[in-house]
């Protein structure tokens, strides 16, 4: 097989030039996101430290963040409700390697927190506790970040253990 | 109109490596395609249509790569179609191609899947912040690690099961010249002491990042009769999807995966997959997914998958070998990984798998999944023509 160097050698003007095998082309993307009415309500309630959810009129499952529709039943979910700031860790991992573009210090504990009354987990960081103590079934509460209150989930800094006894596995088994 | 039988008559792969700096994406896919055509002893003129698949364009940053790959794949003047279903795409792509043959739309179809991870940043592409969730998902490993923990908790599986799978697949890879990782010095102890990346997933229990492509030539009964080597016959194929998030979603054993497997078994007349299948090429990017999929695909009862692993059932000499090729844990050109599973299943029933051939394999399952464990694609291939 002819190498790139051999090909270049046949062109006197390029004698001694290093073959180009790789170029880096930076790309930057910025998007404008339209959250829709359900998510807009959820996001604008966050600076008031309120967690808004929606209940499906057919299957009665409670979604947070709300989507405006139930993914299982395929119908609108007009009923809104407010959830407490407490919940249960249904599963988690400890992330030890940094992902490019993620503004989180490693290691961190990435968990699914099932807010009381909800049927889907919220992605959250668990803090104020040694990671070795984090466990499935642990009771936690939201810690709000007063400096970053805004229409974003960054308003919640993390969740911390409440110190209550662990939740009954039956209460979250189906909603992991 | 009745369905035409579909046969795999050509299989081609590149040697999967961390970085193929000697070829462009076009060169990479052409290499796999040329090998598949050589296996089938066919030329470009024998191909009626091309179906190509890869993971998100965001990875390499090449928008709609199928546009620029048309000539490299001999698609000029022919229909060309792009498929995308995240990590399962290699399987879905092969199934779309198989369906075109089965429906009688095209006689002979070339299907190709690829990823050039050295030119991409998949972890970044999979970690983009979205406004309605806290940005915490660190790549695929970060996404799947909590579900692995949920499996361990649900079944009480010992912590060591993941390392057994990783060690098995890496040893199997030593018998596969196309595998990316050939870790001759790896020991079980080294797997078990490798760093925790996304606790409970360790470094050695994680797939590598690979450049590679895979290609298949699919044809009907007449094409199969002319093929120089034994064909693999498609006995069943199916895809299923479900949402990434819904109340009651079982991330450990998704309904879509169970339904997809049941559909494939029904088409193939399989009632007891554990006994009736000789070998499985399963999409296992993180070692714990082997016991999880053993349950999801009906090879073990719920909660029992890890026991098959521990008993050595899925080893090369076990009664249900899983990933004799070394699997995704040994080669992961993402978009191609699903098609490699399908291709390796076909090689097994053709008796052409080389050093990692399972003796007398007559029925094999190729499996792929993708997204947030929400897309599934599978096919079941056999050495006998269906209905014979
Ligand atoms: Zn519903």
């Amino acid at each position: 097989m002819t190498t790139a160097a051999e090909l270049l050698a046949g062109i006197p003007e390029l004698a001694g030039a290093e073959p180009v095998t790789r170029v880096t082309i930076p790309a930057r993307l910025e998007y404008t996101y339209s959250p829709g009415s359900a998510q807009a309500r959820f996001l604008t309630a966050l600076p008031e430290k309120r967690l808004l959810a929606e209940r499906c009129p057919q299957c009665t499952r409670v979604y947070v963040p709300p989507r405006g529709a139930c993914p299982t039943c395929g119908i609108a979910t007009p009923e809104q409700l407010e959830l407490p700031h407490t919940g249960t860790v249904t599963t988690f991992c400890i992330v030890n390697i940094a992902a490019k573009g993620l503004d989180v210090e490693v290691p961190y504990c990435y968990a699914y927190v099932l807010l009381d009354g909800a049927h889907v987990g919220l992605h959250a960081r668990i803090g104020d506790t040694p990671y070795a103590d984090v466990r499935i079934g642990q009771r936690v509460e939201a810690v709000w970040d007063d400096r970053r209150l805004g229409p974003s989930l960054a308003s919640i800094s993390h969740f911390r253990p409440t110190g209550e006894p662990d939740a009954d596995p039956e209460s979250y088994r189906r909603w992991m | 109109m009745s369905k035409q039988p579909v046969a795999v008559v050509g299989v081609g792969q590149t040697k999967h490596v961390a970085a193929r700096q000697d070829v462009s994406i076009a060169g990479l896919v052409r290499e796999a395609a040329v090998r598949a055509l050589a296996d089938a002893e066919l030329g470009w003129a024998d191909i009626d249509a091309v179906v190509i698949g890869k993971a998100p364009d965001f990875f390499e940053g090449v928008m709609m790569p199928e546009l620029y790959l048309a000539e490299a794949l001999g698609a000029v003047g022919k229909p060309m179609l792009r498929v995308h279903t995240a990590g399962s795409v290699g399987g879905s792509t092969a199934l779309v191609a198989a369906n075109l043959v089965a429906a009688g739309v095209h006689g002979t179809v070339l299907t190709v899947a690829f990823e050039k991870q050295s030119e991409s940043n998949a972890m970044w592409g999979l970690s983009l912040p979205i406004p309605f969730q806290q940005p915490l998902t660190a790549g695929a490993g970060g996404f799947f690690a909590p579900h692995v923990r949920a499996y361990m908790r649900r079944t009480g599986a010992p912590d060591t099961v993941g390392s057994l799978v990783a060690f098995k697949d890496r040893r199997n890879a030593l018998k596969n010249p196309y595998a990316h990782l050939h870790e001759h010095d790896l020991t079980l102890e080294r797997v078990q002491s490798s760093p925790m990346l996304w606790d409970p997933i360790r470094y050695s229990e994680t797939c590598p990042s690979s450049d590679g492509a895979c290609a298949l030539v699919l044809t009907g009964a007449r094409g199969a009769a002319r093929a120089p080597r034994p064909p693999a016959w498609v006995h069943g194929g199916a895809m299923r999807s479900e949402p990434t998030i819904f109340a009651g979603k079982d991330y450990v054993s998704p309904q879509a995966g169970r339904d997809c497997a049941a559909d494939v078994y029904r088409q193939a007349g399989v009632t007891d997959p554990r006994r009736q299948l000789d070998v499985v090429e399963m999409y296992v990017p993180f070692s714990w997914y082997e016991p999880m999929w053993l349950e999801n695909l009906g090879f073990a009862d719920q909660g029992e998958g890890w026991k098959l692993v521990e008993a050595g059932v899925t080893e090369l000499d076990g009664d249900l070998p899983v990933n004799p090729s070394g699997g995704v844990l040994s080669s992961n050109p993402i978009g191609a990984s699903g098609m490699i599973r399908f291709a390796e299943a076909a090689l097994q029933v053709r008796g052409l798998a080389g050093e990692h051939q399972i003796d007398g394999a007559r029925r094999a399952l190729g499996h792929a999944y993708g997204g947030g464990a929400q897309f599934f694609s599978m096919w079941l291939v056999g050495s006998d023509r269906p209905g014979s």
Side-chain angles (χ1 to χ4, degrees):
Chain A
M1 213 171 91
T2 317
T3 66
E6 284 163 356
L7 284 172
L8 291 178
I11 308 169
E13 290 81 0
L14 292 177
E18 280 295 309
V20 177
T21 56
R22 190 147 287 225
V23 290
T24 301
I25 304 166
R28 199 167 67 97
L29 298 171
E30 272 177 30
Y31 288 98
T32 305
Y33 177 73
S34 302
S37 56
Q39 276 174 21
R41 277 192 295 272
F42 172 78
L43 292 170
T44 51
L46 287 171
E48 303 159 18
K49 301 187 184 178
R50 293 167 64 225
L51 294 167
L52 292 188
E54 283 176 359
R55 194 195 320 269
C56 172
Q58 191 166 304
C59 68
T60 73
R61 304 300 178 231
V62 171
Y63 278 85
V64 62
R67 323 260 199 92
C70 173
T72 307
C73 305
I75 56 173
T77 49
E79 188 197 337
Q80 288 154 49
L81 63 158
E82 194 172 334
L83 294 181
H85 301 178
T86 51
T88 301
V89 174
T90 59
T91 190
F92 66 96
C93 72
I94 311 295
V95 179
N96 288 316
I97 53 166
K100 199 171 162 184
L102 273 196
D103 182 24
V104 198
E105 245 180 77
V106 293
Y108 63 92
C109 175
Y110 160 52
Y112 281 60
V113 172
L114 186 67
L115 290 173
D116 295 335
H119 296 104
V120 286
L122 202 62
H123 296 209
R125 205 166 57 81
I126 306 296
D128 299 338
T129 183
Y131 295 144
D133 293 349
V134 179
R135 57 195 180 272
I136 293 172
Q138 191 167 30
R139 296 285 298 155
V140 292
E141 63 187 359
V143 177
W144 297 82
D145 186 341
D146 286 321
R147 295 159 306 144
R148 295 177 75 180
L149 286 181
S152 143
L153 270 170
S155 300
I156 297 178
S157 157
H158 59 277
F159 280 73
R160 71 179 167 213
T162 61
E164 298 165 86
D166 286 359
D168 175 3
E170 280 307 304
S171 69
Y172 59 84
R173 189 178 52 81
R174 287 181 62 201
W175 319 114
M176 294 180 70
Chain B
M1 200 169 76
S2 67
K3 259 173 90 166
Q4 310 291 318
V6 180
V8 184
V9 294
V11 172
Q13 290 182 60
T14 58
K15 158 75 175 112
H16 310 296
V17 295
R20 276 296 298 271
Q21 300 212 9
D22 59 320
V23 288
S24 60
I25 292 173
L28 190 74
V29 293
R30 189 172 175 94
E31 192 173 295
V34 164
R35 286 178 183 168
L37 288 170
D39 183 19
E41 292 183 17
L42 294 176
W44 296 104
D46 300 309
I47 300 298
D48 300 313
V50 179
V51 183
I52 184 169
K54 77 170 298 296
D57 292 358
F58 234 33
F59 287 1
E60 288 92 346
V62 179
M63 283 297 288
M64 299 184 283
E66 62 276 15
L67 299 189
Y68 116 84
L69 296 176
E71 60 265 44
L73 290 172
V76 175
K78 296 172 188 172
M80 185 174 187
L81 178 64
R82 156 83 183 274
V83 179
H84 179 230
T85 59
S88 68
V89 66
S92 311
T93 306
L95 286 174
V96 169
N99 288 342
L100 290 172
V101 175
V105 176
H106 299 297
T108 301
V109 177
L110 171 70
T111 182
V112 187
F114 74 95
E115 207 71 52
K116 205 157 189 283
Q117 287 223 59
S118 69
E119 293 183 17
S120 86
N121 194 332
M123 193 162 168
W124 172 78
L126 294 174
S127 307
L128 298 178
I130 41 177
F132 49 89
Q133 265 182 10
Q134 283 222 328
L136 295 170
T137 307
F143 180 85
F144 291 117
H147 309 310
V148 166
R149 185 182 303 278
Y151 175 78
M152 295 164 81
R153 164 77 170 225
R154 190 187 289 189
T155 62
D159 291 356
T160 47
V161 168
S163 63
L164 298 177
V165 173
F167 186 54
K168 164 184 72 79
D169 283 5
R170 298 279 160 70
R171 268 180 313 156
N172 289 353
L174 298 177
K175 296 178 183 293
N176 176 4
Y178 294 105
H180 173 178
L181 296 183
H182 283 147
E183 299 182 312
H184 294 274
D185 301 327
L186 193 71
T187 61
L188 185 58
E189 292 68 33
R190 274 196 208 169
V191 174
Q192 291 173 348
S193 61
S194 66
M196 280 290 189
L197 300 187
W198 308 274
D199 191 340
I201 298 178
R202 291 182 184 278
Y203 173 76
S204 291
E205 298 169 350
T206 304
C207 54
S209 177
S210 315
D211 285 1
C214 182
L216 301 171
V217 177
L218 305 178
T219 190
R222 269 187 304 150
R226 285 196 301 264
R229 276 172 276 277
W233 294 96
V234 179
H235 288 226
M239 297 178 246
R240 287 291 187 283
S241 311
E242 67 180 38
T244 332
I245 300 172
F246 66 92
K249 178 175 168 95
D250 188 350
Y251 285 98
V252 170
S253 187
Q255 185 69 42
R258 277 181 278 162
D259 291 349
C260 189
D263 189 358
V264 170
Y265 298 150
R266 185 190 49 76
Q267 292 172 36
V270 166
T271 51
D272 184 351
R274 169 81 194 277
R275 292 211 154 61
Q276 290 175 272
L277 285 169
D278 301 311
V279 52
V280 184
E281 280 282 342
M282 195 187 270
Y283 201 100
V284 179
F286 303 99
S287 59
W288 278 93
Y289 271 85
E290 179 177 301
M292 288 161 76
W293 294 145
L294 282 170
E295 296 173 24
N296 190 245
L297 299 176
F299 295 110
D301 289 336
Q302 294 298 305
E304 306 281 312
W306 64 272
K307 293 178 186 170
L308 297 194
V309 174
E310 244 192 5
V313 168
T314 60
E315 299 267 352
L316 221 44
D317 59 358
D319 69 44
L320 184 73
V322 174
N323 292 328
S325 67
V328 182
L329 279 170
S330 304
S331 314
N332 190 27
I334 306 176
S337 290
M339 191 174 285
I340 298 169
R341 308 280 70 72
F342 280 40
E344 287 285 347
L347 287 172
Q348 288 288 348
V349 298
R350 297 173 74 201
L352 298 174
E355 238 194 294
H356 60 284
Q357 175 70 44
I358 303 302
D359 278 343
R362 303 185 64 78
R363 265 192 282 214
L365 183 71
H367 160 269
Y369 85 104
Q374 66 189 120
F375 300 127
F376 293 84
S377 56
M378 304 172 201
W379 81 6
L380 199 153
V381 285
S383 50
D384 296 328
R385 186 173 156 168
S388 66

